[in-house]
Amino acid sequence: MQIGKQRTATSRISTVSADRVEVRGRDLCRDLMGRLTFTEYFHLLATGREPTEDQRYFLDLLLIAIAEHGMMPTVQAARMTLAADPGSLQGALAAGLLGCGPVLVGTAELCGALLAKAEARIAGGENADAVVRALVKDIREAGGRLPGFGHPVHRPVDPRAERILELADERGVSGTHVALARLMRTIAAEVWGKPLVMNVSMPIAAVLLDLGFLVTMIKAVPLLARAGGILAHLTEERANPIGFAMASAAEAAVIYRDDEKEGGG
């Protein structure tokens, strides 16, 4: 049984022969190794183009900004997985990355989609203030969370977000999407009736879009970054195991209830 539309299968990323590895039309050993940084190579792999200086600078900056943020649930899952199976570094890494969704780490993708939606309507002739206000109000009235806003620790500002915006302004890359992110912060405070913290996910999405990255690529940046952070924690876990201590603390923190004894249904 054939599933989906049938077509000739092609890939433009890489091919290998006995004496050559070709990546995006370039000789890996003779042209790329020793010349590109990993950040530049990632951009080439993902887009087919070597980055401009600004694209390289900010991709590097954003990878650093989001790589590590303490004992997040993604890190806890990875460390406890390695504690249970010390030989499965890849499994522990996968366990951590599986938790990178729309609540933690993966929020930048939602921010990018929201900014792109706003920009498309504005490009069609609608007023920027009215568009952003309508989008924010729709989310508020539906009882949803505004992507890129709010943080349990960083208040009143997320220092990472502010630094990204500062450097984007300094280097002259702040464009339509950064302006929309700032407008969204202003309007969100009015709609919610209080200031909301713009967290790191919104500037990540805004700067990437202003630099020409596709919305579909945005989530790849925090995923790649967190892979590095998780691997650092797993390296430490092997030298200084705390996975089982975290598991014990989690068990101790949860109270068991017997519904039958307490009259529950």
Side-chain angles (χ1 to χ4, degrees):
M1 179 178 68
Q2 292 183 335
I3 301 175
K5 185 178 180 180
Q6 301 302 301
R7 61 181 182 178
T8 302
T10 63
S11 173
R12 293 180 172 85
I13 296 178
S14 178
T15 188
V16 179
S17 60
D19 61 350
R20 176 182 170 90
V21 178
E22 183 175 312
V23 179
R24 294 291 192 179
R26 296 156 175 83
D27 187 306
L28 174 70
C29 298
R30 294 177 176 82
D31 185 33
L32 302 178
M33 293 172 63
R35 182 174 70 85
L36 295 187
T37 65
F38 180 73
T39 299
E40 292 167 327
Y41 186 48
F42 170 63
H43 187 282
L44 174 64
L45 283 170
T47 69
R49 303 181 306 277
E50 293 184 30
T52 65
E53 175 57 23
D54 279 334
Q55 287 171 331
R56 181 210 60 77
Y57 178 89
F58 279 97
L59 185 54
D60 217 18
L61 170 72
L62 300 180
L63 287 167
I64 291 171
I66 198 68
E68 175 54 31
H69 205 249
M71 291 292 177
M72 302 289 288
T74 50
V75 168
Q76 294 174 35
R79 294 186 78 138
M80 285 190 277
T81 299
L82 192 68
D85 188 356
S88 185
L89 181 65
Q90 72 279 12
L93 174 61
L97 290 176
L98 286 171
C100 296
V103 176
L104 294 171
V105 186
T107 321
E109 183 177 44
L110 299 179
C111 295
L114 185 63
L115 291 170
K117 183 177 182 179
E119 196 278 332
R121 289 177 56 177
I122 293 164
E126 296 185 56
N127 174 268
D129 189 278
V131 167
V132 171
R133 190 172 299 277
L135 291 172
V136 171
K137 286 184 70 175
D138 284 348
I139 293 171
R140 173 64 164 163
E141 290 171 1
R145 294 170 61 93
L146 185 61
F149 289 89
H151 199 281
V153 177
H154 297 308
R155 298 174 185 174
V157 298
D158 183 335
R160 302 165 301 168
E162 300 307 309
R163 181 59 172 159
I164 292 169
L165 293 174
E166 176 187 1
L167 290 171
D169 290 344
E170 283 184 10
R171 293 182 68 95
V173 304
S174 296
T176 302
H177 298 95
V178 167
L180 282 173
R182 285 179 161 136
L183 178 59
M184 201 166 290
R185 172 162 56 184
T186 299
I187 290 176
E190 297 172 8
V191 172
W192 258 263
K194 62 180 180 181
L196 299 184
V197 177
M198 181 192 288
N199 64 51
V200 70
S201 294
M202 182 58 77
I204 286 176
V207 170
L208 286 174
L209 290 174
D210 278 342
L211 286 170
F213 290 84
L214 299 175
V215 172
T216 52
M217 186 182 167
I218 290 176
K219 191 174 182 178
V221 174
L223 282 176
L224 177 62
R226 281 298 166 90
I230 290 170
L231 286 169
H233 278 275
L234 294 176
T235 299
E236 183 181 69
E237 180 66 23
R238 284 179 159 175
N240 177 33
I242 62 172
F244 284 135
M246 288 193 294
S248 297
E251 185 176 15
V254 178
I255 299 172
Y256 170 71
R257 292 180 53 183
D258 187 330
D259 287 342
E260 291 189 3
K261 289 182 179 179
E262 296 181 20

